[in-house]
Amino acid sequence: MVEDPAPPLDAELDAELAGGSAVPRLTPRHQQLIVTIYGLYGRSNGGALPVSVLISMLDDLGVESSGVRSSVSRLKRRGVLESVKQGGVAAYRLAPNLEDVFQEGDRRIFSPRRATAADRWLLIAFSVPESQRHLRHQLRSMLTRMGFGSVTPGLWIAPGNTYEDIRHQLERTGLTEYVEFFKAEHLTAEDVKDKVSRWWDLPALESLYAEFIDRFAPVLERWESAGSSASGPDADRAAFADYVQLLTQWRRLPYLDPGLPEEFLPPGWHGLTAERIFAELHRLLNGPARQHAERLLGASAK
């Protein structure tokens, strides 16, 4: 179990909230910000946040109350949020059946894994009857969003340490019966780096990391420059705004990135720099951001 809760990283859910795209948006949608907020602060509050607190939190992110209410309505229709009463006031809570999705997100965000060149590969082969051909697209989309590369149209590959995550995902969506799992070694090791560049679209992933660095390297520089002078309610509020944006922008990347061994990555891989920036900003912002959230929750309870 990781130290801090994270937003749900179910690839299907987050892709739908992004408009069906597996690519993170530079400007997250309001629904994605709300999911991040619930993952970070709703779970430690019984899964629920009073409407007034949610509106205040989104206001700190520049979202007007009308935008909050329309986004909440969409999340309710999707079965992500439910209306409840908490202490006699109106609130929304996460659907209880999403907890395992959030726990998977905890592992992906706060316990990053990178395979070594000595590790075995995970291979997935699937066969879908012609009468259910729509499931082929669903499987391919899911595997892509989970960071798998394509060796052939019916054979997909990822580092072996991804097995548990993909097995849980397939079980949730009822697709396990169409899939066979194998652990394997690549017997022509001298060709692996070249093959990796064919199996994965590394330039596309590199571009996403470069965008993340462009967006958040200045944020890290600003907070590092501020040092101990960045304290008090106003600083906590600013940390909250930056931290929620950080998590919302980052949380898709640990899924799309297969965690390949460094030896197989292109020189100067931006993903390693992006991981460092995320880790440092998490260290600097998590505590103050939580203080701001708890301040809002405490005020609503009075």
Side-chain angles (χ1 to χ4, degrees):
M1 180 65 65
V2 299
E3 179 182 353
D4 303 293
L9 289 185
D10 178 274
E12 297 278 351
L13 170 61
D14 214 25
E16 286 193 31
L17 297 183
S21 172
V23 177
R25 297 162 55 93
L26 282 178
T27 304
R29 293 189 176 187
H30 298 167
Q31 294 174 71
Q32 293 171 300
L33 294 171
I34 292 171
V35 169
T36 299
I37 286 172
Y38 269 92
L40 286 169
Y41 310 114
R43 295 163 70 192
S44 57
N45 195 52
L49 291 174
V51 175
S52 61
V53 171
L54 185 59
I55 289 175
S56 294
M57 288 179 170
L58 269 295
D59 181 64
D60 291 333
L61 294 163
V63 181
E64 296 181 355
S65 59
S66 59
V68 178
R69 296 182 188 280
S70 62
S71 295
V72 165
S73 295
R74 294 188 186 98
L75 290 170
K76 286 175 64 180
R77 288 197 298 270
R78 288 222 57 252
V80 177
L81 296 180
E82 301 174 346
S83 299
V84 294
K85 288 286 186 179
Q86 188 181 62
V89 302
Y92 296 106
R93 74 173 182 185
L94 286 167
N97 63 352
L98 289 178
E99 180 55 32
D100 66 328
V101 174
F102 278 77
Q103 289 179 1
E104 181 180 331
D106 293 343
R107 295 189 296 271
R108 285 276 183 164
I109 286 184
F110 298 111
S111 300
R113 300 162 301 176
R114 188 160 297 282
T116 70
D119 291 337
R120 290 194 294 171
W121 297 93
L122 172 66
L123 297 179
I124 288 184
F126 65 83
S127 178
V128 178
E130 185 65 24
S131 60
Q132 296 175 293
R133 60 187 305 174
H134 65 283
L135 296 180
R136 295 176 193 166
H137 174 72
Q138 186 177 346
L139 272 166
R140 289 171 184 147
S141 297
M142 179 187 302
L143 291 170
T144 299
R145 288 192 294 263
M146 295 289 286
F148 277 71
S150 176
V151 180
T152 67
L155 184 64
W156 293 69
I157 187 169
N161 57 16
T162 60
Y163 169 68
E164 291 297 332
D165 285 346
I166 189 61
R167 181 176 64 83
H168 291 152
Q169 178 77 1
L170 290 166
E171 287 175 352
R172 276 202 301 269
T173 52
L175 296 173
T176 309
E177 64 179 289
Y178 303 106
V179 172
E180 297 291 344
F181 299 95
F182 302 91
K183 283 284 185 75
E185 296 178 4
H186 193 274
L187 298 181
T188 52
E190 66 277 4
D191 297 327
V192 172
K193 188 170 183 177
D194 178 59
K195 297 290 179 61
V196 159
S197 66
R198 302 181 200 174
W199 298 336
W200 280 275
D201 188 354
L202 293 181
L205 186 56
E206 178 84 333
S207 176
L208 295 176
Y209 277 129
E211 291 173 355
F212 179 88
I213 293 168
D214 288 345
R215 169 70 176 82
F216 288 101
V219 177
L220 176 58
E221 182 178 353
R222 168 162 48 84
W223 282 99
E224 287 180 331
S225 298
S228 59
S229 64
S231 60
D234 288 343
D236 291 349
R237 181 177 182 272
F240 172 87
D242 282 340
Y243 191 56
V244 171
Q245 294 281 359
L246 173 77
L247 263 291
T248 304
Q249 189 67 28
W250 177 260
R251 62 193 176 116
R252 296 282 298 130
L253 290 169
Y255 270 89
L256 295 172
D257 189 332
L260 295 169
E262 290 188 37
E263 297 93 324
F264 300 157
L265 295 172
W269 178 246
H270 283 88
L272 302 178
T273 301
E275 288 172 6
R276 180 188 61 81
I277 290 172
F278 172 78
E280 283 299 300
L281 280 171
H282 168 67
R283 181 182 64 83
L284 291 169
L285 302 181
N286 175 52
R290 183 166 295 280
Q291 290 183 62
H292 178 70
E294 291 175 350
R295 201 173 284 125
L296 293 176
L297 286 165
S300 74
K302 293 180 180 178

